[in-house]
Amino acid sequence: MTKMLAVMAVLALSACAASGGGASGRTDWSCANGRAFSLRYNAAGAAEVFAGGQTYTLAPSGSNYSNGQVIYSPQGGGASLTGAFGGPYENCRRG
């Protein structure tokens, strides 16, 4: 029970983190059709994506990030996320 409360406290504090860009910060994306997702980069350089109630860790793959099923494609000022639950996440803009 104590461990569970400690984990919940850490998660609550993490949710309060800044939502701007940055090395350890979270970037929020708003997409067409009212879809949205968030991502941040971890210390290993992978993208951690939060979409549709799921978390995906995506390794760099050329100019994209992928785990073999989910692909995050940064496109200049926009982005797309394919293969993630709750998608499609297309024509995404920061904010």
Side-chain angles (χ1 to χ4, degrees):
M1 180 76 168
T2 302
K3 286 183 183 181
M4 184 180 194
L5 290 175
V7 168
M8 291 175 64
V10 169
L11 291 174
L13 290 173
S14 296
C16 294
S19 62
S24 63
R26 186 180 79 202
T27 302
D28 296 326
W29 293 91
S30 296
C31 310
N33 298 323
R35 306 287 196 270
F37 70 94
S38 299
L39 76 85
R40 66 178 174 202
Y41 297 98
N42 66 23
E48 295 178 344
V49 177
F50 311 96
Q54 304 287 325
T55 301
Y56 306 94
T57 301
L58 311 177
S61 177
S63 61
N64 298 322
Y65 294 81
S66 177
N67 67 1
Q69 295 179 325
V70 177
I71 301 169
Y72 164 64
S73 301
Q75 305 162 349
S80 67
L81 182 66
T82 57
F85 184 78
Y89 300 88
E90 300 170 330
N91 301 317
C92 304
R93 301 283 178 236
R94 290 180 189 201

